[in-house]
Amino acid sequence: MFKPIFRSKYMFIGFAGFATAILLFFAVETVYAETIVPSDFISVDTVWEKSGNPYVIENDVNIVDGATLTIKAGVNIIGRYAEDSEPEFRPGIYINGGHLRIEGKGLGDNRVKINAIRSVSVKNGSAFIGNADIRGGNGVLFENARVIIATTTIGETAQAISSKKSEVYVEGSRIEENTNGIVVKADQVFQFRADQLPNTGGIGNALEMELPIVPSFHIQDSSLANNQGMSLNNQASFSTDARDNWWGSPGGPQRSGPNRIGGSVESGPWLLVEPPLDPGVETEEVKQCCSSILFIPGFEGTRLYIKEKPNFGTTTNRLWEPFGNGDVEKLYLDSNGSSTNPGIFAGDPIGWAYGYWNEDIYDSFLKSLDSLKGENKIAEWKVFGYDWRKPIAEVVAGRQLKENSSESLIETVEDLASRSKTGKVTLIAHSNGGLVTKYLVKTLVDMGKESLIDTVISVAVPYLGTPATVLGLLHGYDQALLKGFLLNEATARTMGKNMPSVYSLLPSREYFSHVFSPTIAFASTSVPGINPGKYPQEIKTFEDQTSFLADLKNGRATTSDADVSRAIKGNQLLMAAADVLHGMLDPFSWPATIARWGIIGWNAATSKGIVYKNDKDNVVYSASKTDFGDGTVVAPSASYNAGETVALDLKTESEIDKNEITHANILEASSTQVLIKEVVTNPVNKSSIQLPPAMSWGEPDYSKETFSSLIVSTHSPVELHIYDSEGRHTGTIAPPPGVEEGFITAYENKIPGSSFDRFAEGEGEYATYVYLPDDTGQKYSVSISGTGVGSATLRVERMKDGGAVESIEYSLPVTPLTVATTTVTSATTGTTPANLASSTLPIQLDFDGNGSVDTTVHAGTEFDPILQMELIRKTVTTLLGNIERSQQLDKRLVRLEDLIKKGKLPKVKKVAVKIENKIGHIKAKKLTDQDKELIIHMIEAMVAEFE
């Protein structure tokens, strides 16, 4: 809904940016009883003062070339025929390429009065008309103009307001007793054939298609009454916003008879009584509204580029978002944290991932800032894109390299403040951008320039770091490229191990004073291969965390970059630098003059630590979870010293928005944008803000940690897909076109409250985990698609308060054709959940993907290698037919089956062929000869493992 631009009730503020030059005030000669306005073209800023009353217009007054005509409070303007003019001539005020400001005040003699002139016309310029009374003539006309009309009366005209291709806002005004009230004219741009208009460059007036504004018309809290013809006639292609107005009676607007409306007009709800004509006296509160906005994106939220000369000339290549390992390798840094490629420069923030694919990151948020500017709530906004690999201090104090220039964050703030209505800037920061913002404010304080900032709005900022960074640093875990992607873990880990900004996102010293759960834990006091008794079983201090991350006690062997199942050793130098950074930022006291708001996300499964254990002689890791986080940042870190805190329930928000909202795209949430708009445009006063349904004041109640969920997990070689009763999907999806094969895993979490995880279990082997809400009474459909030949495991667990209360497990054979399905039922709120063993159906196994069930697999049943051989033999015959190769392979399978029956191959269950490149599930109905050959080759390779 169009909210009031002018605060108090119908009070108004100036429209910053309309005037393009400083007003030059000079005296207008007063001729005692009246001032005759000259008819010449006026190309300099001109001011009409009350002392020159009345201003008599005998010939047209033309303001051109960017000049501004300012009409001060109390001015009285009269139109009069010149003695030598035509009888039907009536003079007017014409702004052509210039600007008009009418600055009346309140009621009575301080209002501006305009009588008996032809019209007030503004073309290719702007107008602010406040507290004026316009009578007679043709009213006011606008074309290609940006206009605000406040607490103004227009009456007894042929047509009160005419708008064409203009952006017009009317508030607290009266459009009454006219022949016609408002007409919004058609806004189409016509094209002509080149042979018809040879002098137009071939496209006629389409050269004017890039208009300086977006046409729109808004009128609110106004009266449209007693107009003889139409009160509002919209002939344009867009809808006119005319809600909350008085239409002459409590019955609202009419489509026939006098004072009717026509065209596409959004008129409801309407006022039931006529609003008063407010005096419009400005208050200090109004004068202070509103600052310009500077947005600072989060980690990986800015595109990065490099200029290269591959063969000839210079090419600009985008490295982030990347299309392959080659792009990411150019982003690597050395052990000192310096870029190995110094020519990288920052571009724009990421709106849509890969320009169009999957969910948007900042797209609708940036459009909401455009709307604030379009509604004249702010003078302007800007994004500071930066190289997020760099140290926080360098981002603030240095200059960001751009394509053809460089940019200073401090200078950007100063520049915005110089043009702001208040002389100040509001900072909006997301994620890592919040650490940049805090260091920026500290720097401004040190410079004595903190007065440039009036408000800081932090959104999902890890002020004290977050445990998810521990998993990412050590294993490349959960490195969501943007939203809906998992960057190849090995690539992500190699890129991050020497990145200064990664280390500043680790839990800081202050973190352990506010959060008491361990960031690192071990299933027992000694876990060979990762902690042979050298580190505490639970790491709950900054010193122990640093010691383990850098492996100062030499508890683990050096690992290859490719084997992400084994933890690397962190960069001790960069850890020390991050400790120094947080030593400055964490205790920093924000200036009392800066209002602070913190939006924190919660009710999304969020890593609060990493847990190591031994599984069949292998070290495996997993993430311990909490629902007090946004999927990446735990809530206590996001709320630390953030000011007025608002908690956003992400599960509820996702259901409201019909879109998965997480840490990465929390600024896309409708509730986030509503609150930011309220904070930016209203006085910073908690009592004046009504929170959206998914938001609540303060932090969540941490004493009520009741994280519970159903966890469905699979182990290679399969893909896991889960659907709820409404068909919403959580699981992997196809990556965008053009991305290097195997470079990313694309996924979505469309089931509200769900999350997708993947853990490395060995080189090239992964376990997939999907966390599902366990309090909705949902029946989840589970589908498993084979991606290789071997054995797979499906495990379903019910977790509560961090521990498993029950679980079931299935073992099943798979090929790239296999599809296995079952259902899992969650608990109903307030009831005792059904036992998993009784509520989860046996798996229906379609081994060769032909659409029919080949066998049923029950929970707890041991893996049956004989069944696997039988199903593989059937698949070979189906794929190859009765040819010699098929017969030879079948004989080998029979021999293998005989050996299994004799107990001579006890490790069959553990064997799964390692495929160098994951091929994904192949649908049987779309099999190509190449697909068939690939599957047969995989079966032959598996058999060879045993021969």
Side-chain angles (χ1 to χ4, degrees), residues 822-860:
T822 186
T823 59
V824 179
T825 304
S826 73
T828 303
T829 303
T831 66
T832 302
N835 181 274
L836 283 177
S838 61
S839 63
T840 304
L841 297 178
I843 287 180
Q844 304 294 302
L845 184 67
D846 177 5
F847 190 74
D848 54 5
N850 65 359
S852 61
V853 176
D854 293 303
T855 189
T856 300
V857 179
H858 294 269

Side-chain angles (χ1 to χ4, degrees), residues 19 54 102 123 131 287 324 361 423 441 579 675 802 842 853 907 910 912:
I102 297 180
K123 184 175 182 180
N131 291 284
K287 292 177 182 177
I361 308 303
V441 173
D579 187 26
L675 180 61
V853 176
K907 295 184 178 180
K910 296 182 180 180

Side-chain angles (χ1 to χ4, degrees), residues 268-280:
W270 53 79
L271 301 180
L272 301 180
V273 295
E274 184 174 8
L277 187 63
D278 194 274

Side-chain angles (χ1 to χ4, degrees), residues 696-762:
S696 58
W697 295 109
E699 302 176 55
D701 186 352
Y702 300 126
S703 67
K704 297 179 180 178
E705 169 69 84
T706 57
F707 178 70
S708 61
S709 67
L710 288 172
I711 304 177
V712 182
S713 61
T714 57
H715 303 263
S716 294
V718 293
E719 290 179 348
L720 176 62
H721 303 272
I722 300 180
Y723 303 85
D724 67 7
S725 58
E726 296 184 30
R728 294 173 291 197
H729 170 248
T730 292
T732 56
I733 54 178
V739 176
E740 179 181 321
E741 185 176 354
F743 176 60
I744 62 173
T745 297
Y747 69 96
E748 63 184 6
N749 296 325
K750 293 299 185 182
I751 299 174
S754 67
S755 68
F756 179 94
D757 267 348
R758 189 173 78 160
F759 300 96
E761 294 190 311

